[in-house]
Amino acid sequence: MYIFDSVQKIKREFVSLKKNEVSLYVCGPTVYDDAHLGHAKSALVFDLLSRVLRAEGYNVKYARNITDIDDKIIKKATELGVSIKEITDKYTEAYHADMAHLGIQRPDIEPKATESLDAMFLMIQNLLNRGHAYQISNGDIYFDTASDAEYLSISHRVQNEDEKQNRVLNSNEKKNSADFALWKTIADGDISFDSPFGKGRPGWHLECSAMIEKHLTCKDTKYAIDIHGGGADLLFPHHENEAAQTRCSTNHEIAAYWMHNGFVNIDGEKMSKSLGNSFFIKDALKVYDGEVLRFYLLSTHYRSNFNFNEEDLLASKKRLDKLYRLKKRLFGLEVHSDMQTAFKTKLLDALKDDLNVSTALSVIDEMISLVNETLDSAGKHKELKREAMIDMAYIEELLGFGLENPFEYFQTGVDKETKVKIKELIEERNEAKKAKDFATSDSLRDQILSYGITIMDTPQGTFWERV
RNA sequence: GGCGCCAUCGCCAAGUGGUAAGGCCGGAGCCUGCAAAGCUUCUAUCCCCAGUUCAAAUCUGGGUGGCGCCUCCA
């Protein structure tokens, strides 16, 4: 397995800290709004990573947090006059539903900030004890970036002069403008948590470091966990700060490998909360099948930026259609086997190379073509069919494509009445065909097409698909 | 301004030193009553310039053009 480490900026062979075990931590959502396509991309990438690692035989411990303490949550709760929990519960549930529609498996651990305060207090205390944090007059506690010689080693940034001079220029008590809050004291007691440092709430960066320490960490290794992932926008300052906290409060670096996924742009423009052009998963799901979205969003390498547009999505759907058409062709054949095939090896090899999905998809397309070709040229081929079934089961397991019933897949979004009507029209057409009344059968086909349905005559009967 | 990424067929997109995967679209054909599906087949020398090398889309330097982070963000 090779992974591109976004801190060292090279592709590195993956060697786990502990034999046969992988600890993976990914920054999850702040639950104050619906999840957008960017959340989907990130969750999909690391879902795929965990599947590939498991296929490689690793026992994977995958954690993705839920940030349920945050200014934006508080703001929304205040605006709506409801409790924080009402907001976070609602959007956590929505997040889970969206992810499920995309075929994303639940991580092994989903720690919440509200349930990890103990670990955060511990970390703050450690940082204070070790002289890496300081408290200002209002009670706020900051991380002292100047105290960490390795600060900025994750993002490779250079601190500019303005930042260095901040102590003089800035009126607040922060020693350095890069210093970030570990604990923010709050006067109004409503939305705050009790802590050894007084009432308040934790800084955002702290939660990930604390959760890693609490749930995943290997105590006796150079690194706390194997792989840390998240969106590219988190590299700085979020991951830089996480790394600093862990480095200074424990005796190890936070992660041996860092993976950052690229952005999802909409029509060439970055989707961002501040631009207000977020495309929500739930809205996309109204129009497109979840598996099609999964396929489309995964079809480009995870590190590249992804430009979402309908045209490409439809091209992508046609590609997935091919998989389902083969599944249709082999329908009814039940095969359960762990048999190793050349295809399986090739597919896994592609994904083992820093999740090269493009190559993986080409391996799949070639397999589909080969099977179709063989089946076209010479009838039965029991063994080939069996092997193709085994291969397709592997695609489902590894990539999560092809999970649906192939007939239903092509008929999603068609209501019951239409289905009945189509069935009638097809029967009528088949009568006409039998009588060699092609004028009638063609006009019936046009009528079916007016429902947005295309039909195909096969030796097994007439099948229909939504156009 | 600081740091960084990217530029491959009409479109999407792999490949990162050994002579351009795959998909969509399009052309031709096979199959079909006709279609659809499937199959066969055709379509690029890799933004520009210079250099390194026996050999470069792949390395180096310089352009040009996109874009990101530096503020909440996946």
Side-chain angles (χ1 to χ4, degrees), chain A residues 11 54 89 136 175 287 339 371 380 396 456:
Chain A
K11 202 186 272 187
R54 290 198 169 104
D89 281 355
I136 63 173
K175 290 186 186 174
V287 194
M339 189 177 91
V371 174
K380 307 251 175 194
E396 290 175 24
M456 36 200 60

Side-chain angles (χ1 to χ4, degrees), chain A residues 29-36 39 66-67 70 72-74 76-77 80 84 86-96 98-99 272-274 276-283:
Chain A
T30 301
V31 281
Y32 71 99
D33 204 350
D34 285 304
H36 56 59
H39 294 107
I66 300 274
T67 299
D70 180 88
K72 295 180 288 295
I73 298 170
I74 294 167
K76 189 150 191 168
L80 298 177
I84 290 188
E86 228 167 296
I87 299 286
T88 58
D89 281 355
K90 177 184 169 187
Y91 289 110
T92 300
E93 203 177 305
Y95 181 79
H96 286 148
D98 288 342
M99 296 304 136
S272 95
K273 287 169 188 174
S274 46
N277 63 344
S278 297
F279 191 173
F280 297 114
I281 297 168
K282 66 169 187 183
D283 293 327

